[in-house]
Amino acid sequence: MFRPVSSKPDLVAQEHEVLTTWHERRTFARLRAQNAGNERWSFLDGPITANNPMGVHHAWGRAYKDLFQRFWAMQGRDQRYQNGFDCQGLWVEVNVEKDLGFTSKRDIEAYGIAEFVSLCKQRVLTYAARQTEQSIRLGMWMDWNDPVELRRLRDLLAENPSQEATTTGRTGPRSPTRSNSWSVGWACPRSAAATSRSPTRTTT
């Protein structure tokens, strides 16, 4: 009646099998299409700082948030699945200072404020990409940015902050975009709370 179950299951392999199945069947996209146009329910993520890889405590929080959104999706609510990153400057700056071996804020001035700010933006893009990959691996359903694109923007910023670049947004290509106009907030475009439709509920 039942298939035999191993006493030592390969849990990691099972997780990858589930992720592959969701991808092949376009499960998340089909869910969004199924609920499109229904009564809205919005969840604004209280995001992680894009400054280091996720920790276990971040994974716990994201698992709970994903569960909460899935519950409302099962009620048929249309959701935006808007992810974001906390891009507060201080902690990013502190880590860049450590990487450069700085011991005071005067070191930043001597290095060059514009150059230092560029490194901070690059760090945000690096860890926004990394955390996105980790969250996808966790199985969290969101309207994620492409990690490859985030890293491409980081590399363009490092190469020449004044160059123009084209990137793909939610509504199509966005061009020209001047690298030197990228703010930390722009690096995480889905962190913005403003939308054309008001949320029925906001939580972090």
Side-chain angles (χ1 to χ4, degrees), residues 92-104:
V92 176
E93 291 175 19
V94 167
N95 276 278
V96 173
E97 288 179 57
K98 289 179 180 179
D99 290 343
L100 296 173
F102 290 172
T103 57
S104 76

Side-chain angles (χ1 to χ4, degrees), residues 30-48:
R30 290 164 61 192
L31 173 66
R32 297 192 71 179
Q34 175 180 292
N35 291 344
N38 292 349
E39 182 181 357
R40 301 239 341 139
W41 187 85
S42 290
F43 181 97
L44 300 185
D45 184 14
I48 305 169

Side-chain angles (χ1 to χ4, degrees), residues 6-22:
S6 171
S7 60
K8 296 182 180 180
D10 187 340
L11 299 179
V12 173
Q14 290 180 9
E15 291 170 0
H16 281 288
E17 183 179 344
V18 170
L19 292 172
T20 299
T21 299
W22 286 346

Side-chain angles (χ1 to χ4, degrees), residues 30-123:
R30 290 164 61 192
L31 173 66
R32 297 192 71 179
Q34 175 180 292
N35 291 344
N38 292 349
E39 182 181 357
R40 301 239 341 139
W41 187 85
S42 290
F43 181 97
L44 300 185
D45 184 14
I48 305 169
T49 302
N51 186 40
N52 280 301
M54 285 192 347
V56 172
H57 56 299
H58 296 128
W60 287 340
R62 294 213 146 180
Y64 293 140
K65 293 172 183 178
D66 188 52
L67 177 65
F68 205 55
Q69 289 193 112
R70 289 178 190 238
F71 168 79
W72 285 103
M74 291 172 67
Q75 308 305 306
R77 296 293 190 91
D78 185 1
Q79 299 183 59
R80 69 218 262 174
Y81 294 98
Q82 181 177 343
N83 174 66
F85 294 99
D86 188 341
C87 298
Q88 54 179 302
L90 178 60
W91 300 116
V92 176
E93 291 175 19
V94 167
N95 276 278
V96 173
E97 288 179 57
K98 289 179 180 179
D99 290 343
L100 296 173
F102 290 172
T103 57
S104 76
K105 301 302 180 183
R106 293 189 182 279
D107 291 333
I108 298 175
E109 295 178 347
Y111 181 80
I113 293 177
E115 292 77 8
F116 181 81
V117 169
S118 179
L119 290 179
C120 290
K121 294 176 181 179
Q122 292 170 49
R123 184 178 182 90

Side-chain angles (χ1 to χ4, degrees), residues 137-199:
R137 171 65 182 85
L138 185 65
M140 188 178 190
W141 283 351
M142 276 286 188
D143 184 11
W144 300 111
N145 287 109
D146 182 358
V148 173
E149 179 68 3
L150 292 174
R151 291 192 178 96
R152 184 183 76 88
L153 294 175
R154 175 203 61 194
D155 294 342
L156 289 173
L157 184 60
E159 179 184 286
N160 180 4
S162 65
Q163 68 180 305
E164 295 183 348
T166 299
T167 185
T168 301
R170 297 182 65 184
T171 58
R174 298 173 61 183
S175 179
T177 298
R178 289 191 179 276
S179 302
N180 61 359
S181 70
W182 295 345
S183 66
V184 172
W186 189 92
C188 309
R190 292 178 187 158
S191 63
T195 63
S196 59
R197 289 178 284 188
S198 300

